[in-house]
Amino acid sequence: SADGGRNLSLDSIPMGLPMSDPTAWATAMNNLGMAPMGMTGQPLLPDFDPALGMMTGIPPINPMMPGLGIVPPPIPPDMPAVKEIIHCKSCTLFPPNPHLPPPATRERPPGCKTVFVGGLPENGTEQIIMEVFEQCGEVIAIRKSKKNFCHIRFAEEFMVDKALYLSGYRIRLGSSTDKKDTGRLHVDFAQARDDLYEWECKQRMLAREDRHRRRLAEERFRPPSPPPVVHYSDHECSVVAEKLKDDTKFSEAIQTLLTWIERGEVNRRTANNFYSMIQSANSHIRRLVNEKAAHEKEMEEAKEKFKLALSGILVQFEQIVAVYHSASKQKAWDHFTKAQRKNISVWCKQAEEIRNIHNDELMGIRREEEMEMSDEEIEDPSEMKETEESALVSQVEALKEENDSLRWQLDAYRNEVELLKQEQGKASRDEDTTKEQQMKLLQQALQGMQKHLLKVQEEYKKREAELEKVKEDKLKVETLLENLKEQESSTSRVCACSQEKECPVEKTLSNSPVKSEREVLLVGIISTFLHVHPFGASIEYICSYLQRLDSKICTAEVEVLMTRLQNTFRQELSGVGASLEKRWKFCGFDGLKMT
């Protein structure tokens, strides 16, 4: 229409949607936290490398990335979510009340690309639904029901978030106000098997990519394998034999020879060749012995140099210590200050400690040399004997080599027998160990039960002691109640006698400080309580005792009663300053004399 103004560019396809404000849709998408122009997003697989079987060029994971199935973050509070009227060709969408809470949605299924749309007008068609929701992205399929709802499947996951933005909008077909042409849209996530299957395939592909990446990293850090040993042949045998004669290539050739012998390449045809190679390997023993002797000689020379240098260092240390000692004598010592004397004494101690350490090291070297010299003296006569018997040994070596092969075979058989015995022994030991472990567990359980029983017994004894205390308190209370009853009987007798007397006596009684029988009982109980406490008691202590008998007694009532009876109770102050305390004492015996 002519009032439409400008058209929005979605997926680079001009849709020609008339709106009340040209930037209404852009504002809505910005409030949702999405880019207003790139509504279709990036493709899931921008490029795929078939040689590696993995995706390349994937950007870092972002909560707003398409295809991750993550709900976009909430709208910040400082940005007002302004939803405006959206005009389409056949219908108009009116925004909900901005003060109402956002519409509720179910939990988002993984890989969700399908939405449920409810509240459609009864006269709504698939064409109208397509017209409204194709603004959110490419629609793959629409499944409409007869009961005013439908399911819409989009091409990408991020399009579902744009469709949820329309939830709560009121839709009106054309300019009609009929109920069948109006409705309130409710958009929610829908669970579809196709979406779940595609999401699982994508997760498997990502897992394969991760495994491949980890395998490449492991292979990068794996140490290189040793070079393979060539198979035996006459040509390779001649090459190895030449290498065995060369000192620089001996280690490589001897490894090849060892591998061939372990593989079982020795037979009647190749025995002579292997014997010649073994013989050439044996010729290197003299070279190795000479090298060892040369290294030992170098080590001895280095030891001598070290010993000479150490002895020179010790001489210098002795000279430095002598300087410190001469400076510590009284002739020079008196001329130094306290700080200088302290530094000289500290330096002297340090120099003596270092000198002693180096001296012990030099003495240790000399002891080792003496021990070596004594060992050589002991070995000298044996060397003389060896030179005499060398002729006999050379004759016996041939026989020893023949016997060695037989011994090795016997040792192999013995080792197999011992291994079998050890396996049987291990089985029996394992059974014994399991039994021992079970016994230990049972012992630990018994110990735990014994500790628990001891705790229960201790608690039982404590409870018995508490019960005995309660019984004693109960007996005391009963005795006090009996005393109170006796006092009540005596007071009743006194009252009877007083009734028989004349009127002046009645006037004096009416003027007495005790006004009721309850106060008389209180006076009796308080007097017996204070009689037991000759040093007095505070009003709180007295009231706590009385409240055990009657919880309705208050402190003010007791204090007023005791102040009225000045000849029976006396208040005294004890302590000084913050520890000042008021105490009530029983003075009935003294008050009787005064009255």
Side-chain angles (χ1 to χ4, degrees), residues 428-442:
S428 61
R429 286 173 190 169
D430 291 336
E431 292 177 358
D432 294 335
T433 53
T434 52
K435 289 180 181 178
E436 289 177 359
Q437 289 176 357
Q438 290 177 357
M439 291 292 291
K440 287 180 180 178
L441 291 172
L442 290 171

Side-chain angles (χ1 to χ4, degrees), residues 175-190:
S175 58
S176 174
T177 57
D178 192 6
K179 270 191 176 183
K180 294 183 179 181
D181 294 332
T182 59
R184 185 182 294 276
L185 297 180
H186 174 70
V187 187
D188 198 355
F189 299 109

Side-chain angles (χ1 to χ4, degrees), residues 54-271:
M54 57 185 282
M55 288 187 291
T56 58
I58 297 178
I61 293 177
N62 187 359
M64 289 303 298
M65 273 181 63
L68 286 181
I70 301 175
V71 178
I75 300 168
D78 56 347
M79 290 180 61
V82 180
K83 293 187 177 183
E84 300 184 3
I85 300 173
I86 301 172
H87 294 281
C88 299
K89 291 180 181 178
S90 305
C91 61
T92 307
L93 300 177
F94 297 93
N97 189 354
H99 300 292
L100 292 176
T105 58
R106 60 180 292 180
E107 186 179 358
R108 181 169 191 154
C112 180
K113 295 182 184 178
T114 307
V115 294
F116 165 83
V117 182
L120 293 171
E122 291 185 14
N123 294 333
T125 61
E126 288 189 9
Q127 184 179 359
I128 294 172
I129 297 168
M130 178 70 76
E131 183 182 341
V132 172
F133 284 94
E134 69 181 355
Q135 305 174 58
C136 303
E138 182 184 354
V139 177
I140 294 176
I142 296 176
R143 294 189 296 275
K144 189 176 181 302
S145 175
K146 296 178 181 179
K147 295 184 179 181
N148 301 333
F149 70 88
C150 69
H151 289 84
I152 303 172
R153 188 161 190 262
F154 292 97
E156 302 295 342
E157 291 183 31
F158 71 95
M159 299 174 184
V160 172
D161 300 321
K162 297 178 182 180
L164 287 175
Y165 181 75
L166 299 176
S167 184
Y169 268 82
R170 289 179 291 110
I171 184 172
R172 187 178 69 186
L173 302 182
S175 58
S176 174
T177 57
D178 192 6
K179 270 191 176 183
K180 294 183 179 181
D181 294 332
T182 59
R184 185 182 294 276
L185 297 180
H186 174 70
V187 187
D188 198 355
F189 299 109
Q191 194 164 3
R193 285 177 292 182
D194 295 341
D195 297 344
L196 182 62
Y197 176 72
E198 288 182 5
W199 181 79
E200 289 175 349
C201 291
K202 193 187 303 177
Q203 295 300 316
R204 285 195 293 269
M205 184 174 62
L206 293 173
R208 284 196 301 271
E209 176 193 353
D210 188 33
R211 284 197 301 271
H212 183 73
R213 192 182 298 112
R214 279 190 275 107
R215 195 181 302 114
L216 289 177
E218 289 173 1
E219 289 176 357
R220 193 181 303 117
F221 292 108
R222 188 179 299 160
S225 58
V229 178
V230 296
H231 292 283
Y232 176 81
S233 64
D234 293 336
H235 173 69
E236 295 293 337
C237 179
S238 62
V239 172
V240 171
E242 291 296 328
K243 287 182 180 180
L244 285 170
K245 295 175 184 178
D246 189 358
D247 295 344
T248 58
K249 300 178 181 178
F250 173 74
S251 58
E252 179 186 353
I254 197 71
Q255 186 64 36
T256 306
L257 178 60
L258 177 62
T259 306
W260 284 349
I261 294 171
E262 288 178 350
R263 284 179 182 175
E265 300 288 348
V266 182
N267 51 36
R268 288 184 180 179
R269 187 177 65 83
T270 60

Side-chain angles (χ1 to χ4, degrees), residues 24 313 362 375 404:
I313 291 167
L362 184 60
D375 292 339
D404 286 340

Side-chain angles (χ1 to χ4, degrees), residues 185-462:
L185 297 180
H186 174 70
V187 187
D188 198 355
F189 299 109
Q191 194 164 3
R193 285 177 292 182
D194 295 341
D195 297 344
L196 182 62
Y197 176 72
E198 288 182 5
W199 181 79
E200 289 175 349
C201 291
K202 193 187 303 177
Q203 295 300 316
R204 285 195 293 269
M205 184 174 62
L206 293 173
R208 284 196 301 271
E209 176 193 353
D210 188 33
R211 284 197 301 271
H212 183 73
R213 192 182 298 112
R214 279 190 275 107
R215 195 181 302 114
L216 289 177
E218 289 173 1
E219 289 176 357
R220 193 181 303 117
F221 292 108
R222 188 179 299 160
S225 58
V229 178
V230 296
H231 292 283
Y232 176 81
S233 64
D234 293 336
H235 173 69
E236 295 293 337
C237 179
S238 62
V239 172
V240 171
E242 291 296 328
K243 287 182 180 180
L244 285 170
K245 295 175 184 178
D246 189 358
D247 295 344
T248 58
K249 300 178 181 178
F250 173 74
S251 58
E252 179 186 353
I254 197 71
Q255 186 64 36
T256 306
L257 178 60
L258 177 62
T259 306
W260 284 349
I261 294 171
E262 288 178 350
R263 284 179 182 175
E265 300 288 348
V266 182
N267 51 36
R268 288 184 180 179
R269 187 177 65 83
T270 60
N272 292 329
N273 295 332
F274 276 98
Y275 180 76
S276 62
M277 287 189 288
I278 293 169
Q279 190 175 7
S280 60
N282 187 43
S283 64
H284 285 273
I285 293 173
R286 189 178 296 172
R287 176 181 63 82
L288 296 173
V289 171
N290 292 332
E291 287 181 1
K292 182 188 174 187
H295 289 303
E296 286 178 350
K297 187 177 180 181
E298 290 176 0
M299 187 175 68
E300 291 296 331
E301 291 176 356
K303 279 185 180 179
E304 288 295 329
K305 288 181 182 178
F306 176 70
K307 189 167 67 174
L308 291 172
L310 191 60
S311 61
I313 291 167
L314 283 173
V315 170
Q316 293 177 9
F317 269 116
E318 291 291 345
Q319 293 172 353
I320 294 169
V321 171
V323 170
Y324 290 143
H325 285 303
S326 62
S328 300
K329 291 180 181 178
Q330 191 171 4
K331 290 180 181 180
W333 191 254
D334 294 338
H335 299 287
F336 294 118
T337 62
K338 288 184 178 180
Q340 291 171 348
R341 290 175 188 175
K342 186 177 179 181
N343 290 334
I344 290 169
S345 59
V346 170
W347 293 339
C348 184
K349 287 180 182 178
Q350 291 177 353
E352 286 177 351
E353 289 176 359
I354 297 170
R355 181 198 63 184
N356 294 332
I357 291 168
H358 288 293
N359 196 7
D360 293 339
E361 190 174 356
L362 184 60
M363 293 299 293
I365 292 170
R366 288 176 179 172
R367 285 196 211 98
E368 288 178 359
E369 288 179 352
E370 290 175 0
M371 293 291 291
E372 289 176 358
M373 291 294 291
S374 62
D375 292 339
E376 288 176 359
E377 288 175 359
I378 293 168
E379 290 175 357
D380 284 339
S382 63
E383 289 178 358
M384 293 295 291
K385 291 179 182 179
E386 287 178 358
T387 54
E388 293 175 358
E389 295 176 355
S390 59
L392 295 172
V393 169
S394 60
Q395 294 177 0
V396 174
E397 283 179 355
L399 295 173
K400 280 185 177 179
E401 289 177 356
E402 293 179 0
N403 290 328
D404 286 340
S405 62
L406 296 173
R407 284 177 184 174
W408 292 338
Q409 292 178 4
L410 288 172
D411 290 336
Y413 289 126
R414 284 174 185 171
N415 289 332
E416 290 180 359
V417 173
E418 286 177 358
L419 287 171
L420 291 172
K421 288 181 180 178
Q422 287 176 2
E423 289 176 357
Q424 292 177 357
K426 282 181 182 178
S428 61
R429 286 173 190 169
D430 291 336
E431 292 177 358
D432 294 335
T433 53
T434 52
K435 289 180 181 178
E436 289 177 359
Q437 289 176 357
Q438 290 177 357
M439 291 292 291
K440 287 180 180 178
L441 291 172
L442 290 171
Q443 288 175 358
Q444 291 175 0
L446 287 171
Q447 289 176 359
M449 292 292 290
Q450 289 175 355
K451 290 179 181 178
H452 185 65
L453 285 171
L454 290 172
K455 289 180 181 178
V456 171
Q457 288 177 356
E458 289 176 359
E459 290 179 359
Y460 181 71
K461 289 178 181 178
K462 289 179 182 178

